[in-house]
Amino acid sequence: MARSGAGPRLAGLALVAGLVGCSNSSGPGSFDVSGHWTGIASLPNGRSTSADLQQTGTAASGTMTVAGAFVSTALTGQVSSQNRTLTWTLMRGCEVWGGVATVTADGGKMSGPVDIDRSGCQPAQSDGSGTLTLTRQ
C-alpha cells in the first residue's frame, strides 16, 4: 500500500520543485536599472532630469542631474526585485534628496515621489516634494 501512494507524493514534490524554480524570476537580479535615464522631476515645476545608473546585486549607484537644481550629483540606492523599486538618495549641499521609484514590468520606465529634506540648511528652508518620471534610453 505504501508504494501506491508514492507516485502522487513524488508528483506533488516535482510540482513544488518546479514552482520554486520558477519563483526565481522575481528574485534578486531579475531586473537591472543600469543605464541612461531621462525625464522630468516635477518639483512642482517640471525640470529636465537625467540619471546614469549602475547596479551590482541589489546596490545601485550613479549620478543624477536636475536642470536648474544641480548637475551630475552622486546618488546611491537599493533595488527590490520583489517590489520592482529603486529606493535612492543623494546629497546636494545641505539638502538630502530621495525617493522610491517603481520600475515598469518591461523595465523601460520608472516613476515615484521625490522628497527634499532641507532641515540641515542655514538659514532654515522649507522642505520640498514632487514626482520623478524617467525613461530608459
Side-chain angles (χ1 to χ4, degrees), residues 7 10 25 28 32 48 65 70 72 75 78 86 88 92 97 127:
L10 289 176
S25 65
D32 194 324
S48 178
T65 298
F70 55 84
S72 197
L75 69 80
Q78 288 292 311
L86 167 64
W88 61 275
R92 179 194 166 265
W97 292 53
D127 291 344

Side-chain angles (χ1 to χ4, degrees), residues 3-4 41 44-45 62 73 83-84 119 121-122 128 130:
R3 294 183 126 217
S4 65
N45 299 326
T73 300
N83 298 322
R84 297 197 64 81
S119 61
C121 298
Q122 295 299 326

Side-chain angles (χ1 to χ4, degrees), residues 51-97:
D52 289 298
L53 303 175
Q54 298 83 42
Q55 181 179 335
T56 303
T58 60
S61 62
T63 59
M64 182 180 286
T65 298
V66 176
F70 55 84
V71 293
S72 197
T73 300
L75 69 80
T76 59
Q78 288 292 311
V79 173
S80 167
S81 292
Q82 181 178 8
N83 298 322
R84 297 197 64 81
T85 56
L86 167 64
T87 302
W88 61 275
T89 232
L90 67 80
M91 301 247 344
R92 179 194 166 265
C94 61
E95 300 176 343
V96 179
W97 292 53

